[in-house]
Amino acid sequence: MEQRTVAFCTLGCKVNQYETNAMMQSFIETGYGIVEFEEKADIYVVNTCTVTNMADKKSRQMLRRVKEINPNSILVAVGCYVQVAKEKLEEIPEIDLILGVNEKSEIVEYVEELIRTKNTTVMQVSDVAKQEEFVEFGPVTYTEKTRAVIKVQDGCNQFCSYCIIPYARGRIRSRRPEWVMAEITRIAEKGIKEVVLTGIHLASYGRDFAKNIVADISNDFEYEIDKKEFLLIDLLEEIQKIEGIERIRLGSLEPTLITEEFVARLSKLSKICDQFHLSLQSGCDETLKRMNRKYTTEEFEKGVELLRKAYPKVHLTTDVIVGFPGETEEEFQKTYVFLEKIKFYKMHVFKYSPRSGTVAAKMPNQIDGNVKEERSNLLMELSDKNETEYQKRYIGKQVEVLLEDREGEYIKGHTTNYMVVKVRTTEELENIIQEVMITGVQNLETIGEIGINP
C-alpha cells in the first residue's frame, strides 16, 4: 500500500506551532509521510487561530483553499477557531473532520476512523471549560528548526475584556514537570541547543498544581524536587541542569510575574536568554483598566527596571493594541510617551478589532478605522526607529549567534537577545553557535562576519 501523506497549515501562536509538531510526530510514528501544504497530499490539517477577527477570516480562507489543491483529500479543521465557531465550520462543506483543542492529541485515531467508516463530516469538540488536566501528547521530539518550542502550559484565567482565548482554551492547566524534563532531555539528545518555553498564559505555570503534586514526580531523569509548590521559576531551575541545552528562551510573559525574587533567581541561570516579551497592550492606565489588565504602567516600568538591571544587554519586546474602545487622543498620547520612555527593542502593534463574545465588543465609543490606522503607523515607525538604534550599537562588537537558516549565500541566526544576524559564508554552520563580528545594519537586520577579531 502506498504511503499516505499529510500536510499542515499552522496559524497563530507558538502553542499552535508546538501542537502541530506533536500532531506531525503522531502521523510519522503511524507511518504517514509529511509534505508541504502547497503540495498534493491525502490529508490536510489546518490548525486554526481565533485571537482576532482577521485570524478567523484567515482560518476560513485556508480551509477553503485545500480542495483546490486536491479535491479528493481529507480536510481536517482543528484548534481554537474550531472551539469557538464550530457551527460556522459546518457551513464549509469541504471539511471532513472537525476537532477541538483537546482532540488534537488523538487526531490520527480520528482520521483513521474516518477513512475506515467513510463517514461524511465528523465533529468532535469537547467543552474546554470542563478540562481540568493538561492534555499530554507525550514527549515531542519532532522539530524542523535548530530550536525547539516546548509547550508547558495551557489555558488562561485572566479574561481580558478584548480576548476570546479563555473561551477557546479553558482555564489554566500546567504540564507536569517530569513530562517537560523528559521532552527537553530527548530534544537535547538530538543535538538541539535552544528551547523556547511557551504557553497560553506562561506566567501562571504551576499555580493550578495541588500542594502535594511535586511529591509524586518520578526520578526517571535523575532529578529530585522536594518543594511544596512548583512555579515557572522552579521549572527553569530544573531545565538549567539538562546537559546539551545551551539556551533557554521564554515566550510571552505577564508583567506581574517580574518581581524582585523572580528576577534574582532567574539571573542566576546562565542559560536564560536575555530577551523577554512583556505583554503591555497599552501605556495608559485608564485604557488598561478597561482592558481588564491586572497591572498599572508604574508596575510595568518597575519590572522593566528590574530586568535591565539584571541583564545589561536585554532586549525587551511587547504587544500594543491601538484604537481600543474609548481610547481618546489624550490616552493614545499617554501610550506613545510611555513607549518612547521604555524604548522597547521591537513592538508588535495591533489595531483593535471587535471580537464577538467579548466584553469589549459591546463597549461604547468604538474607534474609527482611519484613526486606528494612523495610530498604528505612528507606533510602528517608533518601533522601527528603536530597533535600528539598538542594532547600530552592536556595530564593531562580537556577538554569539546560533546559526539557523540558509538564504542563498547567507546564513541567518539569532543572538541570545534575539537580534537577527546574517552572515555570508559557504560553510555548513547550521545549529552551531558562532562568534560573529557585527559590521553593519540593513533593512532591520544586522550583518556580520566570522573570524574577525575585535
Side-chain angles (χ1 to χ4, degrees), residues 45 316 333:
V45 180
L316 299 174
Q333 286 302 319

Side-chain angles (χ1 to χ4, degrees), residues 65-303:
R65 278 183 57 190
V66 164
K67 296 289 177 156
E68 296 174 7
I69 305 172
N70 182 6
N72 299 317
S73 61
I74 292 173
L75 173 55
V76 186
V78 301
C80 292
Y81 181 59
V82 170
Q83 198 69 41
V84 300
K86 53 183 180 288
E87 296 81 8
K88 293 182 180 178
L89 291 179
E90 289 180 296
E91 299 169 7
I92 303 178
E94 295 90 346
I95 300 175
D96 300 292
L97 181 60
I98 299 172
L99 299 177
V101 168
N102 289 336
E103 285 67 43
K104 290 181 182 181
S105 61
E106 300 175 276
I107 187 170
V108 176
E109 289 87 341
Y110 283 113
V111 166
E112 296 201 329
E113 177 67 17
L114 184 70
I115 292 170
R116 280 195 300 271
T117 59
K118 299 180 180 179
N119 281 335
T120 54
T121 303
V122 174
M123 179 185 295
Q124 190 68 37
V125 182
S126 59
D127 185 355
V128 289
K130 296 178 180 177
Q131 183 69 35
E132 296 182 355
E133 298 292 331
F134 184 94
V135 176
E136 183 60 65
F137 282 92
V140 178
T141 57
Y142 179 82
T143 177
E144 298 175 338
K145 300 293 183 180
T146 54
R147 66 169 53 87
V149 175
I150 310 294
K151 178 185 169 187
V152 301
Q153 185 276 335
D154 208 338
C156 182
N157 294 357
Q158 298 299 99
F159 289 94
C160 298
S161 62
Y162 54 82
C163 187
I164 197 71
I165 295 303
Y167 304 97
R169 286 282 180 169
R171 306 303 291 271
I172 61 169
R173 306 179 300 283
S174 302
R175 192 178 187 190
R176 287 287 298 244
E178 66 267 34
W179 280 105
V180 178
M181 298 295 286
E183 185 163 311
I184 296 178
T185 298
R186 288 174 181 150
I187 287 291
E189 289 170 352
K190 289 184 65 178
I192 300 295
K193 293 179 172 61
E194 180 177 315
V195 292
V196 184
L197 301 195
T198 190
I200 297 300
H201 191 252
L202 185 60
S204 68
Y205 179 85
R207 293 178 188 171
D208 56 318
F209 286 157
K211 287 185 178 179
N212 63 348
I213 192 168
V214 179
D216 299 329
I217 290 177
S218 70
N219 290 317
D220 291 349
F221 296 90
E222 297 181 355
Y223 70 99
E224 296 180 1
I225 301 170
D226 57 2
K227 299 171 183 175
K228 292 184 178 179
E229 66 175 9
F230 197 86
L231 302 177
L232 181 61
I233 189 62
D234 300 293
L235 181 65
L236 293 171
E237 288 171 345
E238 294 302 315
I239 297 172
Q240 168 78 21
K241 302 172 186 176
I242 297 178
E243 292 185 12
I245 297 300
E246 297 185 31
R247 291 182 177 183
I248 304 167
R249 199 177 295 281
L250 297 173
S252 181
L253 296 176
E254 187 74 9
T256 54
L257 178 71
I258 311 302
T259 63
E260 287 189 19
E261 180 188 357
F262 179 83
V263 175
R265 291 172 66 181
L266 191 73
S267 61
K268 293 176 182 176
L269 306 180
S270 61
K271 297 179 181 180
I272 296 293
C273 290
D274 49 351
Q275 178 263 331
F276 302 95
H277 186 90
L278 303 182
S279 187
L280 174 63
Q281 307 303 359
S282 175
C284 170
D285 288 333
E286 294 86 350
T287 309
L288 287 173
K289 190 172 182 180
R290 291 198 303 279
M291 289 178 168
N292 196 32
R293 302 292 286 175
K294 308 299 193 296
Y295 51 84
T296 65
T297 53
E298 182 181 359
E299 291 167 338
F300 188 98
E301 188 173 359
K302 285 180 180 177

Side-chain angles (χ1 to χ4, degrees), residues 269-421:
L269 306 180
S270 61
K271 297 179 181 180
I272 296 293
C273 290
D274 49 351
Q275 178 263 331
F276 302 95
H277 186 90
L278 303 182
S279 187
L280 174 63
Q281 307 303 359
S282 175
C284 170
D285 288 333
E286 294 86 350
T287 309
L288 287 173
K289 190 172 182 180
R290 291 198 303 279
M291 289 178 168
N292 196 32
R293 302 292 286 175
K294 308 299 193 296
Y295 51 84
T296 65
T297 53
E298 182 181 359
E299 291 167 338
F300 188 98
E301 188 173 359
K302 285 180 180 177
V304 167
E305 290 171 356
L306 287 170
L307 288 171
R308 285 186 167 148
K309 185 177 180 181
Y311 299 93
K313 297 188 296 181
V314 69
H315 279 186
L316 299 174
T317 58
T318 196
D319 299 319
V320 184
I321 297 172
V322 296
F324 189 75
E327 185 186 60
T328 64
E329 185 61 31
E330 180 184 2
E331 288 184 347
F332 173 72
Q333 286 302 319
K334 286 182 180 179
T335 290
Y336 191 92
V337 170
F338 185 74
L339 294 171
E340 276 190 313
K341 182 181 180 182
I342 296 297
K343 279 191 174 294
F344 290 100
Y345 172 62
K346 186 180 289 188
M347 298 185 293
H348 303 281
V349 183
F350 300 91
K351 290 170 282 191
Y352 171 74
S353 175
R355 187 67 180 78
S356 58
T358 64
V359 172
K362 300 175 183 177
M363 285 182 174
N365 302 316
Q366 299 284 331
I367 306 301
D368 179 77
N370 292 329
V371 174
K372 294 177 190 177
E373 186 72 23
E374 290 172 6
R375 293 175 182 176
S376 174
N377 289 340
L378 285 170
L379 293 190
M380 287 192 289
E381 287 173 9
L382 178 61
S383 179
D384 288 349
K385 176 175 174 285
N386 288 347
E387 188 172 357
T388 301
E389 286 178 359
Y390 270 115
Q391 291 170 337
K392 286 183 176 178
R393 293 178 193 174
Y394 285 89
I395 293 176
K397 295 181 180 178
Q398 290 269 19
V399 294
E400 284 191 348
V401 181
L402 174 58
L403 298 169
E404 300 161 54
D405 300 307
R406 177 164 288 284
E407 291 186 357
E409 59 185 348
Y410 288 93
I411 294 181
K412 291 174 65 172
H414 289 83
T415 60
T416 56
N417 54 14
Y418 216 56
M419 187 168 64
V420 178
V421 179

Side-chain angles (χ1 to χ4, degrees), residues 16-61:
N16 260 12
Q17 179 185 328
Y18 171 87
E19 290 172 349
T20 289
N21 286 346
M23 290 187 285
M24 283 182 175
Q25 181 167 307
S26 296
F27 276 107
I28 290 169
E29 290 175 350
T30 316
Y32 290 76
I34 306 296
V35 299
E36 294 296 323
F37 190 73
E38 299 297 333
E39 296 180 39
K40 188 174 181 180
D42 299 305
I43 301 149
Y44 291 88
V45 180
V46 179
N47 196 357
T48 63
C49 175
T50 191
V51 70
T52 63
N53 283 338
M54 187 59 69
D56 288 355
K57 183 179 179 181
K58 186 70 178 291
S59 295
R60 292 191 297 270
Q61 287 175 341

